[in-house]
Amino acid sequence: MTTKKKPKVYVTRKLPDAVETRMRELFDAELNIDDRPRTPAELAAAVRTVDVLVPTVTDRIDAALIEEAGPQMKLIASFSNGTDHIDVEAAARLGITVTNTPNVLTEDTADMTMALILAVPRRLAEGARILTDNPGEWAGWSPTWMLGRRIHGKRIGIVGMGRIGTAVARRAKAFGLSIHYHNRKRVNPATEDELEATYWDSLDQMLARVDIVSVNCPSTPATFHLISARRLALLQPTSYIVNTARGDVIDETALIKILREGRIAGAGLDVFENEPAVSPKLVKLANEGKVVILPHMSSATLEGRIDMGDKVIINIRAFIDGHRPPNRVLPFR
Ligand SMILES: O=CC(=O)O
């Protein structure tokens, strides 16, 4: 009996122990135990010799890097739902398959979106800081103190009604929000009925009418600055915007400007346009209580990360065995 040679798999970041153990069993895996982000030169050296690259959202897998790949490197199995860090077009041109890890982080991301939808109008982060910044002092209850804005009965406008947007809508409905959404196409009638959702063909018209905007679409060339300066100006001064998708869907400079001018009430951001750089202006706005900023952690649960690892493994195994991997990503057209 001949034993099949294990594929050489290069993983760019530390993964949960259970995933690394399984990868060691199945593959000739080069893991990143100390979790030091790999440099472009290290990635280029890797793709010249390995069979499979497992990058994640903190890596930049651009055309120049993909062009360095040796003829044996035929799969980029990303440990992520989003694939905007990968030039999928360049990979397709060079005959390299790209896969991602959809579905398994839908509920976690929707939970965190809901957490921001609650946290910003209800001033949760500000309130939490008051006691820790002033130990031993009680600066609590008075009738006019720390007043936020009510969530129940308001309108949410979801931009991007895919899996995550729909999961956000379910939660929002349970909190008494009425559901409005804009999407490239209308969701199926059963989902619309279940959510009692109103579809807006015109994003502009929806933005002008809702109290909370939740950005849940992927970052693609078509969604770059979808929430532009012009569209931000359509929002009501009492409205809030939450983004757990990708930073570049919102024109961040324009968002900072309208927040500083008080032309909207607040924002909750888990993602940033120039990630990993976070604008000091946003940090200042957070300190003033106008925004809640998080370090891209919406999908960060142990269960989710293990499920993502399982998906990566399934995609690699299917590909190596000559099958079409279940989560193949095609170039955006
Ligand atoms: O943002 C996280 C992901 O795309 O997996």
Side-chain angles (χ1 to χ4, degrees), residues 27-322:
F27 312 132
D28 176 4
E30 185 167 343
L31 303 172
N32 185 350
I33 303 304
D34 61 6
D35 204 23
R36 179 181 58 77
R38 297 306 186 213
T39 64
E42 287 170 320
L43 293 178
V47 297
R48 284 185 208 119
T49 59
V50 300
D51 302 308
V52 181
L53 176 68
V54 179
T56 189
V57 294
T58 52
D59 303 303
R60 200 169 137 71
I61 313 299
D62 57 14
L65 177 76
I66 293 169
E67 280 158 15
E68 292 289 331
Q72 78 301 328
M73 228 263 330
K74 288 282 170 245
L75 177 64
I76 300 173
S78 190
F79 186 92
S80 63
N81 183 33
T83 48
D84 47 299
H85 56 295
I86 303 172
D87 190 332
V88 181
E89 189 85 48
R93 186 163 27 86
L94 293 164
I96 296 173
T97 299
V98 176
T99 60
N100 69 339
T101 61
N103 300 320
V104 290
L105 34 75
T106 302
E107 303 302 332
D108 295 327
T109 305
D111 282 344
M112 197 61 115
T113 307
M114 200 62 218
L116 283 173
I117 290 169
L118 298 172
V120 183
R122 296 304 310 272
R123 306 177 66 177
L124 190 141
E126 267 180 279
R129 270 199 307 265
I130 288 172
L131 290 181
T132 49
D133 286 357
N134 306 287
E137 280 175 42
W138 177 251
W141 214 95
S142 101
T144 54
W145 185 69
M146 281 298 285
L147 304 187
R149 297 305 299 262
R150 179 180 291 159
I151 289 152
H152 191 272
K154 299 280 168 61
R155 297 172 163 205
I156 186 170
I158 296 175
V159 181
M161 194 74 152
R163 286 181 293 262
I164 297 173
T166 306
V168 170
R170 291 208 170 94
R171 285 158 176 74
K173 185 165 187 271
F175 276 86
L177 285 155
S178 71
I179 311 300
H180 299 255
Y181 76 97
H182 170 79
N183 200 41
R184 277 186 302 166
K185 54 182 193 329
R186 233 172 136 148
V187 300
N188 66 53
T191 307
E192 246 183 39
D193 285 354
E194 173 206 331
L195 298 168
E196 297 174 69
T198 305
Y199 172 66
W200 292 84
D201 187 31
S202 160
L203 175 58
D204 290 9
Q205 288 186 15
M206 181 181 87
L207 293 176
R209 285 164 177 78
V210 295
D211 304 292
I212 298 166
V213 176
S214 178
V215 177
N216 295 108
C217 60
S219 162
T220 68
T223 62
F224 177 80
H225 283 191
L226 181 68
I227 309 297
S228 59
R230 183 188 66 75
R231 289 202 165 113
L232 285 167
L234 300 172
L235 296 174
Q236 305 178 54
T238 47
S239 66
Y240 299 89
I241 186 162
V242 166
N243 187 4
T244 54
R246 284 293 184 267
D248 64 6
V249 178
I250 302 181
D251 178 341
E252 193 175 283
T253 308
L255 175 65
I256 291 169
K257 188 164 185 289
I258 65 160
L259 281 162
R260 289 171 103 181
E261 291 169 358
R263 282 159 54 208
I264 63 170
L269 307 172
D270 184 45
V271 286
F272 304 92
E273 186 160 357
N274 300 310
E275 218 173 293
V278 178
S279 163
K281 291 177 183 158
L282 278 176
V283 176
K284 187 163 180 282
L285 284 163
N287 286 329
E288 290 164 4
K290 295 200 179 106
V291 301
V292 173
I293 48 176
L294 296 175
H296 198 153
M297 54 189 277
S298 285
S299 66
T301 67
L302 178 61
E303 294 88 340
R305 294 292 192 246
I306 290 174
D307 291 347
M308 288 166 80
D310 286 345
K311 285 227 161 205
V312 169
I313 291 170
I314 289 166
N315 281 312
I316 298 175
R317 292 192 78 184
F319 185 83
I320 296 294
D321 290 345

